[in-house]
Amino acid sequence: MEEGYTSLPASHLLGSVPAVIAEDKTTSIASEAASTANLHLFPPSNGGYQAPGTPSGADEQTTSSWQGVFSISSYSSYFNVDTDVVVERIISSVYPMNDFYRKIDGNPDLYGPIWISATLMFMLAALGNFGTYLMKKRNDSSTTWTFDVTYVEWSACAIFGYMLAVPAAFYFLLQYFGFRTSLVRLWCMWGYSLFIFMPICLLLVVPVELFRWIIILLAGIASSWFIAVNLKAYTQSSDLMMLIVGAMVLQFALALFIKMFFFP
Amino acid sequence: MSHSDTIPLHPSSQSDIDEIENLINADVHSVSVLPARPPSPPRVSIPISHSPSPLPPYQKVPPSASPPPVVPAVPAAAAAPAGSSRIGISSDAFGSPPDTLTEPVWDTVKRDLARIVSNLKLVVFPNPYREDPGRALRDWDLWGPFFFIVFLGLTLSWSASAKKSEVFAVAFAILAAGAIILTLNVLLLGGHIIFFQSLSLLGYCLFPLAIGALICMLEGNVIIKIVVVSITLAWSCWAAYPFMSAAVNPRRKALALYPVFLMYISVAFFIIAID
C-alpha cells in the first residue's frame, strides 16, 4: 500500500517543515563560508581542523568527529586572544552604540565570558553580603556582621546558569527560524554583556535604596540595549522582534534579580 | 567410588603439577636461606594452599559435582603452587624486593614530609631557583596541596559560627576546582605547563593564606585580620607569579595571571569575612 501514502494530498507538505528548509539553507551557506566553519561549530570536531568545502552541518552528526570534544587543543582556537584584544572588547561592551558584533566576528573568544562570569559571581557574593550588612545596619544599628555563604552558591547558579542556558536557547530558536548563527558568538556576546554589572555591584553597596534602584535600572537598560543591538545584527530582519524583546526582558530580569536577591 | 575416581585428572596435567611441585621443592631450600623470610616454607603464608601436596584442593570438591569442576579445579590447584613459586622466584630472581614496598611506614611518611618541606621552600620562600620553572617544582607532589587545601577548609569551617559544613564545602570546591580550571586556562591560552605540576604549585602557594586563616581564627579584631590577610595574600600572589607568567606568551601574561589573583583574592575575602 506504499503508493497509497505517496498519493495522499498532504504529501507535498512534507518538505515544508521549517527545520528542513533551514538545513538546506545552512548546507548551501556552509560550502561558501568554509574558512570560518571552525568557529561556527561548538563543540569542535576533528580536533579543531576541518577541511574546507565539507558541509559543516553533516559533520556535526558523524561519529568520527566526536574526539575533538575531549582534547584540549581543539578548544584553544576559542581562546586565541591577547590581553589588549580582551581589554578592547570589554571597553566596547560598555557602550551599546559601538559595533561589538563586528569586533568578535572573526575571532570570538570564550575567555571573556568565562572569567567575566566568574568575577561577577565572586563580586556578587562578596559585595552582596557587604551591602546587605550596611543596609541592615542603617535600619538597625545593633546588627552584627554575618556572612551568608549561600550567596556564593546562589550567585554561581544564577550567573553560570544564565550564561549557559540563555545563549544556547537563543541559538536553537534562531536555528529553528532559519538564521545561521554561531553558538560561540552568542556566548561571547552574552558574556561580555555581563561586564557592565561589575562596576554596578560596587555602586550597589551604597545603602541608599533610591540610589540602588536608579543604578540597577540604568544598568538593566544599558545591558538590554547592548543585547538587542547585537542580536539584531545577527538576525538582520525585523520580523523576529519578539525574540529580541525576549532577550531584552531576560537581561533586565537578571538585573532585577541581582538587585533584589543580593542587595535587598 | 573412591574420591580420587570422581575427579579424573588429565594425564598431562598431572605431569605439569609434578613439574611445579619440583620447582617449589627446589625453591623451599633457597627461600629458607634469606634472612628476611620466615624460616617456614613460603607456602604456609598463602591462604589457598594448606599442604605441600596439591591433592587436598581436589578432595574438597564435592563428589556429586559433574565433570566440569575438573577444569576450574586444575587451574586452582595449579595457581596455588604457582603463586607460592612466584613469590619464591621473585625473591630469588631479583635479589632483594623493592625498598619502598617493604620499608617501615615511618620512613615513607618521613620521605613524603621531607619532599613537602623542600617543595615549600622552593616555591613559597625566596631562593635563587624560583625564577626557573623547570627547576622550581621538578619533584612535584600532591600531598602538600591536599594538606593545605583541607587545612584551609577546616580552619574556615572552625571560624564560622553557622553553616560550618557549607563553608568547608564552598572553600574546598573553590580551591580544588579553581586549581584545575586555572591550569586548563593556561593550557587553552596556548601556554606550556605540565598539568599536575601546575596543580601542585597552585596548592603550595596556598600556604601563606592557610597561615593567615589560622591567625584570623585566633584573632578577632577586623583591622588586624585585614592587615594579616593582605600581607599573606600579597605573599601568595608573589609566590605564584613567576611560574604562571613564564608559562604563556608575554602578550597573554595578564590573561593567565588574572584568574590566579582572582582566586586568591576571593579566598582572602572569604577568610576576612567569615564570622
Side-chain angles (χ1 to χ4, degrees):
Chain A
M1 284 292 285
E2 238 102 82
E3 317 68 59
Y5 291 120
T6 52
S7 64
L8 281 176
S11 60
H12 67 276
L13 292 175
L14 283 173
S16 64
V17 175
V20 175
I21 292 176
E23 205 163 315
D24 288 337
K25 226 202 250 182
T26 52
T27 49
S28 62
I29 294 174
S31 51
E32 295 156 9
S35 59
T36 53
N38 272 357
L39 298 173
H40 285 252
L41 280 185
F42 192 89
S45 60
N46 291 335
Y49 174 74
Q50 208 176 11
T54 55
S56 58
D59 252 350
E60 276 173 15
Q61 282 96 38
T62 55
T63 50
S64 64
S65 58
W66 61 267
Q67 284 96 345
V69 180
F70 295 114
S71 90
I72 290 207
S73 57
S74 59
Y75 287 100
S76 54
S77 59
Y78 302 123
F79 285 78
N80 192 18
V81 280
D82 293 334
T83 311
D84 47 352
V85 172
V86 172
V87 170
E88 187 204 332
R89 288 181 184 183
I90 286 178
I91 292 176
S92 70
S93 78
V94 178
Y95 301 107
M97 306 306 160
N98 280 7
D99 298 332
F100 185 76
Y101 63 94
R102 268 195 220 124
K103 289 201 171 82
I104 65 169
D105 211 24
N107 185 17
D109 72 306
L110 289 179
Y111 178 91
I114 291 178
W115 291 110
I116 290 178
S117 313
T119 312
L120 190 60
M121 170 191 133
F122 286 121
M123 283 181 79
L124 279 179
L127 296 173
N129 271 302
F130 195 48
T132 313
Y133 166 72
L134 282 181
M135 200 59 164
K136 277 200 281 198
K137 191 129 178 118
R138 201 162 169 264
N139 294 336
D140 169 21
S141 67
S142 66
T143 51
T144 53
W145 165 262
T146 57
F147 183 78
D148 192 359
V149 81
T150 55
Y151 275 33
V152 179
E153 296 155 17
W154 273 106
S155 73
C157 290
I159 299 296
F160 281 111
Y162 185 84
M163 265 306 303
L164 280 174
V166 171
F170 274 93
Y171 172 70
F172 287 120
L173 276 176
L174 286 172
Q175 289 276 44
Y176 179 76
F177 283 117
F179 291 100
R180 176 154 178 76
T181 55
S182 134
L183 186 57
V184 182
R185 287 188 178 81
L186 287 178
W187 265 331
C188 184
M189 184 185 78
W190 248 281
Y192 279 103
S193 79
L194 289 181
F195 175 78
I196 198 169
F197 291 117
M198 281 167 52
I200 295 297
C201 273
L202 285 168
L203 287 174
L204 280 175
V205 171
V206 174
V208 180
E209 191 71 18
L210 185 63
F211 181 68
R212 282 185 177 182
W213 277 110
I214 294 176
I215 290 287
I216 203 67
L217 284 173
L218 287 175
I221 291 173
S223 202
S224 310
W225 191 252
F226 176 82
I227 293 279
V229 165
N230 286 295
L231 210 53
K232 208 160 170 171
Y234 282 118
T235 61
Q236 281 148 7
S237 74
S238 56
D239 57 349
L240 283 186
M241 197 50 87
M242 281 312 297
L243 218 62
I244 297 181
V245 168
M248 288 177 74
V249 166
L250 277 174
Q251 191 82 359
F252 202 74
L254 180 72
L256 288 180
F257 174 75
I258 286 176
K259 161 70 182 69
M260 294 197 302
F261 188 85
F262 294 103
F263 301 91
Chain B
M1 290 282 188
S2 64
H3 282 287
S4 53
D5 281 344
T6 54
I7 302 121
L9 280 176
H10 199 272
S12 64
S13 53
Q14 182 62 49
S15 64
D16 286 336
I17 293 165
D18 286 340
E19 203 177 326
I20 293 169
E21 211 188 333
N22 290 339
L23 269 173
I24 293 163
N25 291 333
D27 277 330
V28 165
H29 302 301
S30 62
V31 160
S32 59
V33 172
L34 287 178
R37 294 256 156 234
S40 53
R43 210 179 294 123
V44 173
S45 60
I46 297 168
I48 45 175
S49 69
H50 304 284
S51 71
S53 156
L55 288 178
Y58 295 145
Q59 289 171 354
K60 289 192 177 58
V61 177
S64 57
S66 50
V70 172
V71 175
V74 169
S84 59
S85 69
R86 239 194 323 269
I87 290 186
I89 287 170
S90 69
S91 61
D92 200 26
F94 298 127
S96 63
D99 284 330
T100 56
L101 208 51
T102 56
E103 68 181 1
V105 174
W106 175 240
D107 279 355
T108 312
V109 173
K110 221 166 43 174
R111 198 180 51 238
D112 282 333
L113 283 176
R115 188 166 53 195
I116 291 177
V117 170
S118 83
N119 275 339
L120 202 59
K121 281 202 292 224
L122 273 175
V123 170
V124 178
F125 293 99
N127 68 78
Y129 301 112
R130 281 200 74 232
E131 306 295 320
D132 178 11
R135 173 84 190 247
L137 210 57
R138 185 179 294 160
D139 196 14
W140 59 266
D141 72 308
L142 289 178
W143 276 119
F146 176 71
F147 282 143
F148 295 141
I149 292 181
V150 170
F151 179 73
L152 195 54
L154 282 176
T155 313
L156 287 173
S157 179
W158 279 323
S159 312
S161 54
K163 294 187 183 160
K164 289 173 181 275
S165 56
E166 277 195 41
V167 168
F168 179 85
V170 168
F172 191 89
I174 289 179
L175 289 169
I180 295 178
I181 293 174
L182 285 170
T183 311
L184 284 178
N185 182 50
V186 172
L187 286 173
L188 284 166
L189 283 172
H192 302 290
I193 49 167
I194 304 170
F195 184 77
F196 285 108
Q197 194 181 21
S198 166
L199 285 187
S200 177
L201 177 107
L202 288 169
Y204 275 110
C205 290
L206 280 177
F207 173 74
L209 281 170
I211 304 260
L214 187 62
I215 297 177
C216 286
M217 183 173 77
L218 304 170
E219 177 63 57
N221 191 351
V222 178
I223 304 292
I224 297 184
K225 274 176 150 181
I226 292 180
V227 168
V228 165
V229 170
S230 310
I231 294 175
T232 53
L233 171 67
W235 188 5
S236 281
C237 292
W238 172 81
Y241 178 83
F243 190 81
M244 282 294 176
S245 65
V248 285
N249 191 338
R251 285 195 317 244
R252 302 185 181 183
K253 206 160 64 165
L255 295 185
L257 282 172
Y258 166 72
V260 179
F261 294 158
L262 175 68
M263 183 171 91
Y264 287 151
I265 288 175
S266 60
V267 172
F269 181 83
F270 212 36
I271 295 173
I272 298 177
I274 286 284
D275 56 343

